[in-house]
């Protein structure tokens, strides 16, 4: 039976976070394009399903100064993929602001 507290949380958005869904994709990192293929190949060799795409931006000075690539993995492997990207590049992966 729902309580007043659970109803209060439901109304004001204090929901429990959903567990990662292995059927959905998530962005694991936004990296320079020259690193994207290399990192994707490393993730695949570690058993993490990954793809990358080119992120074209006509204003290269806004967020980056070079062409970038976005790496996508499944939601349940995102944390592991970010750790691998950080180990290889030496910095935490950035995420593109949309």
């Amino acid at each position: 039976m729902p309580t007043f507290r659970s109803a209060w949380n439901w109304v004001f958005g204090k929901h429990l976070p959903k567990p990662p869904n292995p059927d959905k994709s998530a962005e694991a990192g936004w990296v320079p394009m020259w690193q994207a293929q290399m990192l994707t190949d490393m993730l695949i060799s570690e058993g993490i399903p990954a793809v990358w795409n080119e992120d074209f931006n006509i204003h290269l000075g806004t967020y980056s100064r070079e062409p970038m690539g976005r790496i996508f993995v499944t939601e349940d492997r995102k944390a592991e993929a970010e750790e691998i990207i950080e180990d290889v590049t030496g910095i935490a992966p950035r995420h593109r602001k949309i």
Side-chain angles (χ1 to χ4, degrees), residues 20-25 74-76:
N21 186 349
D23 295 330
K24 289 187 176 181
S25 62
T74 56
E75 276 185 356
D76 60 334

Side-chain angles (χ1 to χ4, degrees), residues 39-57:
L39 292 170
T40 303
D41 290 342
M42 293 183 85
L43 293 172
I44 291 171
S45 69
E46 294 289 328
I48 300 171
V51 296
W52 74 279
N53 73 327
E54 298 170 351
D55 188 19
F56 291 106
N57 186 0

Side-chain angles (χ1 to χ4, degrees), residues 52-95:
W52 74 279
N53 73 327
E54 298 170 351
D55 188 19
F56 291 106
N57 186 0
I58 59 172
H59 306 292
L60 288 178
T62 304
Y63 293 112
S64 65
R65 293 179 183 243
E66 60 188 324
M68 302 292 278
R70 297 173 78 181
I71 299 175
F72 294 94
V73 297
T74 56
E75 276 185 356
D76 60 334
R77 307 294 295 272
K78 181 180 175 184
E80 186 179 349
E82 287 176 343
E83 287 178 20
I84 291 171
I85 292 171
E86 185 172 357
D87 288 344
V88 172
T89 61
I91 57 172
R94 296 186 299 167
H95 297 278

